[in-house]
Amino acid sequence: MHRVVIHPDSRSVEARDGEKLLHAAWKAGAGIKSVCGGRGKCGSCLVQIESAAPGALGEPGESESELLPAHPAGGTYRLACLCEIHGDIAFSVPPESQAVLAAPRKPHTLTAVAARPVVRRISVRVDPPAFDPPRSLARRLTDAIAPALSRRAIHLPLGTIADLSALRGFDGLAEVTATVHRERDVIQILPGRRARTCGLAVDVGTTSFVAFVCDLESGEVLATRTAGNPQAIYGEDVISRMTHVQQDPSTLATMRRLLVDDLNRLVDDACRECGIAQDDLVDAVFVGNPTMQHVLLGINPESLGRGPYLPVWSDGVEVEARDLGLAIAPRARVFVFPMVSGYIGGDTIAALLTRGADF
C-alpha cells in the first residue's frame, strides 16, 4: 500500500499499487471532477503533483499527454483518471478540477404524516440462568418478551442471539431491551434500558444524496445531511456509469461501496449531532432513480440503458442493513421503494405519496 496526500485539505489515504489517483482521492473524501467518467476523454480531472518518489507515478500515455495543458510556470500535471500510483505521493487539486462533495442542500418540503412506526422497543426483566425450571437463554428471552408484546409467540432469530452472545456476560443479563419489527421479529437485543427508536430516510440521486435521521415515535426530523454522489468518478450521468459496469462488472461493487461508505460517514456525523448511538437507528427507507436503486442493491443496471429500458425488478424490497454494509443496527430492515418503470423510480413514488396532487 502507498500513502497518498491530497491538498488543499491535506487528506491522506492508503492506495493499492496501480490504483488511479482519481479513485484514491474519492476514497479520501476529496472530490475531483470526472465529466467523462474516468475514461481519459475530457481532461477535467487535472491535478498537480507536489511530490513523488522516483517511480511513484506511471508514465503518461499518448492519450493523457494530448490532454495535458502546457504550463509555462512549470510544475507536473497529470490526469487523475489515468495516472497510476506506484509509490508515496502528494498532489493538489486545482479549484477548476474540484467536484462538489458537500452538495448544496437538496430542496425538500416537510410534510405532516402520522407516525406509524413498524419498529418499537420494549425493556423486560429476564429470569436468571438458575431460575426453575432451567431454560436456554433463547427460551428465557422469549418468555419475557412475548408477554410484554401481548403475544403468545414471537420470532427470535438465531442471528439476533448470536449478536447478543458477542457481549460480555450476555447469559446473565437481568434486564434487556428488545427491538421488535412488526410486533413479531426480534431484530436486536441490547443490555439495560434503551427507549429511543430512530430511523434513516435516504434519497439517492445521480449527482448527490440526502439523508434524514428521524424520531420514529414523533416523526420529527432530527438531522439532515447531504453530499455529492461519489460515483461521479465514473461519470456525471447514469449512462456513463452503466457503460463502466458493462465494460467491467466488478465496477458495480465499487460503486456501491463508494456510496455506502460516504453515507456511513454522514450517518455517523448526524448521530453525533443528535446524541444517539448508531444502533438506535432501527429502521431505514431508501428511494432514488432506478439506476441508483439498482446499484444500491448490487444489481447490474445495464437493462435500463437499452431498449425496451426495463428494470431488473420493480417491486419494493426489504433487506437487512448489514447486507448493504450500512452502519446502523445490523439487522434493521431497509426498505427500498418500488419502481414504476425503467425511468420512474422510488423517488417519484415517494413524492406522490407525501405530496399528492401538490407534486
Side-chain angles (χ1 to χ4, degrees):
M1 301 293 283
H2 308 298
R3 185 169 184 265
V4 179
V5 179
I6 303 141
H7 300 295
D9 298 327
S10 298
R11 299 173 184 263
S12 64
V13 67
E14 295 292 316
R16 300 185 307 274
D17 191 69
E19 189 170 359
K20 301 294 196 299
L21 291 179
L22 182 62
H23 191 263
W26 278 89
K27 282 199 308 184
I32 300 177
K33 289 180 181 177
S34 179
V35 175
C36 70
R39 291 177 291 173
K41 303 293 185 183
C42 65
S44 64
C45 61
L46 188 72
V47 298
Q48 183 173 11
I49 306 301
E50 302 288 348
S51 64
L57 297 175
E59 292 296 324
E62 182 179 348
S63 58
E64 181 179 2
S65 298
E66 290 176 353
L67 288 170
L68 291 174
H71 286 275
T76 301
Y77 292 83
R78 297 296 300 269
L79 296 185
C81 71
L82 295 178
C83 184
E84 294 184 351
I85 301 167
H86 297 292
D88 294 350
I89 67 168
F91 69 92
S92 61
V93 185
E96 60 271 19
S97 298
Q98 293 176 11
V100 180
L101 274 179
R105 196 182 191 107
K106 292 191 77 171
H108 61 272
T109 302
L110 294 179
T111 304
V113 178
R116 291 184 294 178
V118 296
V119 178
R120 68 165 167 146
R121 278 177 164 170
I122 56 168
S123 297
V124 295
R125 301 287 299 181
V126 183
D127 290 337
F131 195 84
D132 193 46
R135 290 158 294 160
S136 67
L137 174 60
R139 175 56 60 189
R140 286 183 281 123
L141 288 169
T142 299
D143 289 347
I145 296 169
L149 293 171
S150 300
R151 296 185 65 93
R152 295 180 62 184
I154 58 170
H155 181 224
L156 180 56
L158 182 62
T160 303
I161 292 291
D163 293 342
L164 177 64
S165 71
L167 304 178
R168 185 181 297 275
F170 69 95
D171 191 45
L173 294 172
E175 185 177 39
V176 299
T177 296
T179 305
V180 186
H181 183 261
R182 297 193 183 279
E183 295 295 304
R184 182 177 181 274
D185 295 322
V186 181
I187 61 174
Q188 179 192 62
I189 297 178
L190 299 174
R193 287 183 172 268
R194 298 278 288 272
R196 197 163 197 183
T197 55
C198 297
L200 178 69
V202 182
D203 180 0
V204 183
T206 306
T207 58
S208 61
F209 63 92
V210 60
F212 302 91
V213 172
C214 309
D215 187 303
L216 293 180
E217 295 296 329
S218 67
E220 178 188 0
V221 176
L222 303 175
T224 304
R225 292 291 185 275
T226 186
N229 190 329
Q231 296 168 4
I233 65 172
Y234 294 104
E236 298 187 0
D237 59 88
V238 295
I239 298 299
S240 294
R241 298 179 201 178
M242 290 178 197
T243 301
H244 274 280
V245 174
Q246 185 178 29
Q247 294 173 345
D248 180 6
S250 67
T251 303
L252 177 62
T254 304
M255 287 185 183
R256 180 186 185 186
R257 187 173 64 251
L258 284 169
L259 174 64
V260 173
D261 286 351
D262 225 27
L263 178 59
N264 284 338
R265 177 179 60 83
L266 296 190
V267 168
D268 178 66
D269 186 53
C271 286
R272 291 176 188 274
E273 176 188 325
C274 302
I276 63 173
Q278 287 178 242
D279 59 10
D280 287 329
L281 292 170
V282 293
D283 200 16
V285 61
F286 277 72
V287 302
N289 63 57
T291 302
M292 294 301 99
Q293 291 189 198
H294 276 63
V295 173
L296 172 69
L297 293 172
I299 297 175
N300 191 321
E302 283 184 50
S303 64
L304 299 171
R306 58 171 181 261
Y309 310 105
L310 296 175
V312 176
W313 97 103
S314 58
D315 296 335
V317 63
E318 193 173 78
V319 298
E320 291 188 354
R322 63 190 182 122
D323 294 332
L324 294 180
L326 200 57
I328 63 175
R331 299 182 191 278
R333 304 297 195 264
V334 179
F335 182 70
V336 181
F337 259 54
M339 294 171 282
V340 176
S341 68
Y343 48 89
I344 300 177
D347 50 359
T348 302
I349 295 175
L352 287 170
L353 286 173
T354 55
R355 301 294 303 282
D358 293 333
F359 176 61

